[in-house]
Amino acid sequence: MTMIQLRMDDGWLEVCEAARLTPGRGVAALLPDGRQAAVFTDRRGRTYAIDNRDPFTGAYVLSRGLLGSTPEGRPYVASPLLKHRFDLETGACLDDEAQAVQTYLTDRSS
């Protein structure tokens, strides 16, 4: 069974089975410190993880957002509430550069 892992300060943390990820959709993972991560896979099989909390509303909903990409090919998730787009690689908000979310390095383990 292949697992998705997130890089944390003290090492790798397994958060879900890779088979549970549907391309273009996200899942929320509870982290040991009580925060949540939104984990995604795209149609090419690349995985991404960002903070699940939308900084504009405070709601933990980014895992339910829609994936897309900019004309330059940058992958993003659009929040389901106010539709702000967050770059899945950098966490930067593409619609308001004053906002960003944390990103996590991901890996797959067998």
Side-chain angles (χ1 to χ4, degrees):
M1 160 174 47
T2 302
M3 298 293 291
I4 302 298
Q5 303 178 103
L6 303 185
R7 180 74 177 151
M8 307 303 287
D9 291 336
D10 57 351
W12 291 96
L13 173 69
E14 290 184 342
V15 292
C16 71
E17 294 176 24
R20 297 195 73 124
L21 294 175
T22 302
R25 299 184 58 132
V27 298
L30 183 61
L31 303 178
D33 64 3
R35 291 179 296 145
Q36 295 179 21
V39 183
F40 303 93
T41 188
D42 66 13
R43 299 195 192 293
R44 294 182 183 168
R46 294 176 296 190
T47 56
Y48 304 94
I50 62 173
D51 190 48
N52 195 34
R53 185 179 176 276
D54 181 331
F56 292 94
T57 64
Y60 293 86
V61 297
L62 293 181
S63 63
R64 294 186 284 167
L66 299 175
L67 293 189
S69 61
T70 66
E72 300 80 29
R74 301 287 304 179
Y76 67 80
V77 62
S79 173
L81 297 179
L82 300 177
K83 310 302 184 233
H84 291 97
R85 299 169 302 150
F86 296 92
D87 186 305
L88 290 173
E89 294 175 343
T90 67
C93 180
L94 302 176
D95 304 299
D96 181 344
E97 58 188 48
Q99 295 293 328
V101 294
Q102 181 175 349
T103 61
Y104 299 91
L105 184 61
T106 63
D107 195 15
R108 293 174 184 248
S109 70
S110 301

